[in-house]
Amino acid sequence: MHKDLESVVLTEAEIAQKVKRAAAWLDEKFAGTTPLAISVLKGSVMFFCDLVRAMQTPVQLDFMTVSSYGSSSESSGMPKIVMDLAASVKDRDVILVEDIVDSGNTLVRMRDLLMGRGAKSFTVVALFDKPSRRKVPVKADYSCFEIGDEFIVGYGLDYAQQYRNLPYVGILKREIYEK
Ligand code: IMP
Ligand code: MG
């Protein structure tokens, strides 16, 4: 385990299992269609790649970079679109792939934006959910794992752009972000 971590929340093997289940849920829901899967960068990148590869349904891929944090561990409220999608979402079944739903601000922002652009349907799959931190009432349609009010890193999730390439997810020691 990385020295800055307090404990491991999900091992590589546990992540693989969760990904498989989420992919099966999507396959059932989207059978017979070709949805557009959107990765909300950068946090969801690892989850996204594993998830779409575990799906049987033919999906198209697109990417959007959204930034909400600066380098603190508290969300700034108004997520900023840093890089927009390449494809049109008009009349498409959109699958939004998120790393974690925390305050819910990013999710609401994405939903309003993509539905406003004429998406036919909007389905959110999140690797993590932190329900106790919600500031706006939204929910992912599918979330793999629920956690309390802890700051986690790894498998795409960062603190100040670090730890994203850890292959597992762990709780960051408080002394790292409270110093
Ligand atoms: P929200 O807009 O507050 O729901 O959260 C948006 C983003 O904050 C997520 O997509 C993550 O990138 C980031 N985030 C929230 N909680 C954590 C965490 O525990 N670790 C790392 N990033 C987090
Ligand atoms: Mg982040």
Side-chain angles (χ1 to χ4, degrees):
M1 180 176 79
H2 192 288
K3 65 173 175 34
D4 295 350
L5 299 184
E6 196 175 286
S7 60
V8 171
V9 173
L10 284 184
T11 64
E12 284 188 72
E14 287 164 342
I15 292 170
Q17 246 187 15
K18 308 259 179 215
V19 166
K20 222 168 139 181
R21 269 189 235 143
W25 184 84
L26 285 169
D27 280 336
E28 193 179 326
K29 175 160 177 150
F30 290 100
T33 70
T34 303
L36 178 67
I38 296 176
S39 169
V40 183
L41 296 173
K42 298 176 244 179
S44 81
V45 65
M46 311 294 178
F47 178 46
F48 183 80
C49 293
D50 287 342
L51 184 66
V52 294
R53 281 184 298 178
M55 288 174 69
Q56 306 293 319
T57 312
V59 279
Q60 294 176 356
L61 314 183
D62 209 340
F63 304 88
M64 192 175 223
T65 307
V66 179
S67 159
S68 60
Y69 268 51
S71 65
S72 85
S73 68
E74 281 294 320
S75 163
S76 63
M78 194 45 176
K80 213 170 69 201
I81 310 293
V82 177
M83 184 190 76
D84 207 338
L85 302 168
S88 164
V89 297
K90 189 159 170 39
D91 301 323
R92 300 300 307 270
D93 292 307
V94 167
I95 301 170
L96 192 78
V97 182
E98 267 283 18
D99 52 356
I100 181 165
V101 184
D102 184 27
S103 69
N105 285 324
T106 308
L107 195 50
V108 167
R109 174 99 165 86
M110 297 296 286
R111 185 190 62 199
D112 293 351
L113 185 73
L114 301 181
M115 291 309 286
R117 289 180 184 175
K120 182 167 139 203
S121 68
F122 184 73
T123 301
V124 179
V125 177
L127 180 58
F128 288 98
D129 185 14
K130 274 193 207 176
S132 67
R133 299 250 313 166
R134 209 71 95 244
K135 290 192 180 127
V136 282
V138 278
K139 249 188 106 179
D141 298 278
Y142 187 101
S143 64
C144 299
F145 200 75
E146 219 175 81
I147 53 162
D149 188 4
E150 312 271 15
F151 200 81
I152 54 174
V153 296
Y155 192 63
L157 289 152
D158 75 306
Y159 171 66
Q161 302 302 328
Q162 292 191 79
Y163 313 108
R164 289 196 199 274
N165 66 322
L166 294 176
Y168 51 86
V169 179
I171 297 178
L172 191 62
K173 285 181 182 162
R174 280 195 175 267
E175 67 207 57
I176 305 290
Y177 58 91
E178 280 177 354
K179 68 184 168 197

